[in-house]
Amino acid sequence: MEYQWLKTFCIAAETLNFRKASEKLMMSQPSVTVHIRLLEEHLGSTLFDRQNNRVTLSEAGRYFLPEAQKLLNNTESTIHKMHAFKQGYRRTWTIAISPLMAETILPYFLRSFMKLQPDLEITIRVEESYLIEGLVDSGAVNIGISALDAQTKGVESIIIYKEPILFVMPVDIYDEESGPPIDIKGVLQNNYLFTHHHPVFWDDLLVKLHKNISGIRTMKVTQAHIAKRFVQDDLGVSFLPHSIVRRELLEGKIMQPHFDLFDLPTVSTFIILKKKGDLEKLFIEQISKYYFG
């Protein structure tokens, strides 16, 4: 039984249309038909019922489909492992990170960490913070970096840094030193406020803002990098963790006016893990040396 037969069968079972299957597989429709026929002959069962130019899975086809998918996945996994072995990788490790972390200096840290572990193949899964703890607990990932503390018994969370939330706005026509003081209330009343791109501070912050300022117009933008880009493009203003806007502030792409209406919150970033082996200890030790703010 050939790998390509299985792949053709699974795609044909998904589309229930040999023409569409041929397009997905980038082969001719007659080739799809030949693969299915050869697989049926090998198994001694008809996998598809064909009536009036319509194709449906037969009873045998429905029974065989999950087994074919397992065989296909196992084969593809083995091929991937062999390719990784050829490239010098001998171990694999999966890290789940929140979209927020992708906007910090984490990529630079990972580059140096991978140099210390040349035989380690690292897979990065970008997941929302509320999902990361479950992925660690189930063993789907080895370690997580999240904006949320762990709550599950047996799952440990370690704070790697705390940072302030900053009010940021588009760069004005004058700088903060030579221009008149910026009217924070006016800025918030006359611009959209991009919200809910962090899982922790927004509910409390909005309550305080509405107590101090009337007529705030909000727009939910659930990804921090999009909110940051919108601020740069003069579409509105927002409150973002320092680590996410650090580079843009240094490069003068956005500005941070003095915010004195009330004290802004701080947020934490956590390492989430279930097993603390040597690799996990090294990762925590190395990442703790970095200043993300």
Side-chain angles (χ1 to χ4, degrees):
M1 183 162 49
E2 295 188 10
Y3 166 80
Q4 191 60 54
W5 300 351
L6 290 172
K7 188 170 184 179
T8 301
F9 167 69
C10 288
I11 296 298
E14 173 191 326
T15 61
L16 293 177
N17 185 302
F18 285 7
R19 179 184 58 78
K20 290 181 180 179
S22 70
E23 291 172 357
K24 280 196 169 189
L25 292 162
M26 292 185 290
M27 64 172 61
S28 67
Q29 186 172 333
S31 295
V32 170
T33 303
V34 169
H35 286 178
I36 297 300
R37 179 175 56 78
L38 290 171
L39 182 60
E40 288 177 329
E41 289 178 358
H42 184 79
L43 295 173
S45 298
T46 300
L47 300 174
F48 291 95
D49 291 328
R50 303 162 178 84
Q51 291 183 344
N52 300 324
N53 294 323
R54 291 186 59 190
V55 175
T56 59
L57 279 172
S58 66
E59 183 180 1
R62 291 192 298 271
Y63 177 81
F64 181 62
L65 179 58
E67 301 301 323
Q69 289 169 333
K70 287 179 190 176
L71 289 168
L72 191 63
N73 291 338
N74 288 339
T75 301
E76 290 177 346
S77 176
T78 300
I79 291 170
H80 173 79
K81 288 176 181 177
M82 289 306 299
H83 286 163
F85 184 86
K86 185 178 179 181
Q87 294 174 54
Y89 297 124
R90 299 295 182 268
R91 297 174 294 158
T92 60
W93 213 48
T94 302
I95 306 172
I97 66 171
S98 72
L100 289 159
M101 284 301 299
E103 290 296 303
T104 68
I105 64 168
L106 179 66
Y108 302 98
F109 161 73
L110 284 175
R111 184 184 303 154
S112 62
F113 182 74
M114 288 187 292
K115 286 181 180 178
L116 295 173
Q117 307 291 326
D119 67 333
L120 181 67
E121 182 184 24
I122 295 178
T123 299
I124 302 295
R125 287 185 57 167
V126 179
E127 303 282 356
E128 295 297 340
S129 287
Y130 72 91
L131 296 172
I132 290 177
E133 181 179 346
L135 292 170
V136 172
D137 187 39
S138 68
V141 302
N142 298 93
I143 202 166
I145 306 178
S146 172
L148 295 173
D149 198 356
Q151 304 296 321
T152 305
K153 185 178 179 180
V155 176
E156 183 179 1
S157 60
I158 301 167
I159 294 178
I160 51 174
Y161 64 92
K162 291 184 179 181
E163 61 180 325
I165 296 300
L166 307 180
F167 176 60
V168 293
M169 61 180 285
V171 176
D172 214 319
I173 56 174
Y174 54 83
D175 62 48
E176 293 181 78
E177 294 180 359
S178 63
I182 294 174
D183 177 12
I184 295 297
K185 287 188 177 181
V187 170
L188 283 164
Q189 287 172 327
N190 294 311
N191 292 276
Y192 279 107
L193 173 63
F194 305 125
T195 67
H196 290 88
H197 42 68
H198 193 283
V200 174
F201 66 82
W202 271 110
D203 290 341
D204 290 341
L205 180 57
L206 284 172
V207 169
K208 291 182 179 180
L209 286 170
H210 287 303
K211 282 183 179 179
N212 284 271
I213 309 167
S214 61
I216 295 178
R217 294 176 299 168
T218 61
M219 180 188 297
K220 286 186 179 181
V221 179
T222 58
Q223 296 295 324
H225 71 283
I226 299 297
K228 180 172 65 175
R229 180 58 186 267
F230 281 3
V231 173
Q232 289 182 65
D233 291 343
D234 200 11
L235 298 176
V237 300
S238 194
F239 294 84
L240 287 156
H242 185 198
S243 61
I244 293 170
V245 295
R246 174 176 176 269
R247 181 172 180 176
E248 286 73 19
L249 288 170
L250 289 172
E251 295 176 351
K253 294 179 178 178
I254 58 176
M255 62 188 297
Q256 179 202 351
H258 179 60
F259 187 91
D260 57 3
L261 298 180
F262 50 82
D263 290 335
L264 291 175
T266 60
V267 291
S268 298
T269 297
F270 302 89
I271 292 285
I272 309 294
L273 71 165
K274 197 169 185 178
K275 180 193 72 171
K276 195 184 289 184
D278 291 340
L279 192 57
E280 286 78 11
K281 290 177 183 177
L282 178 63
F283 186 87
I284 294 166
E285 176 189 331
Q286 294 296 317
I287 201 170
S288 298
K289 295 177 180 178
Y290 275 74
Y291 173 63
F292 285 78

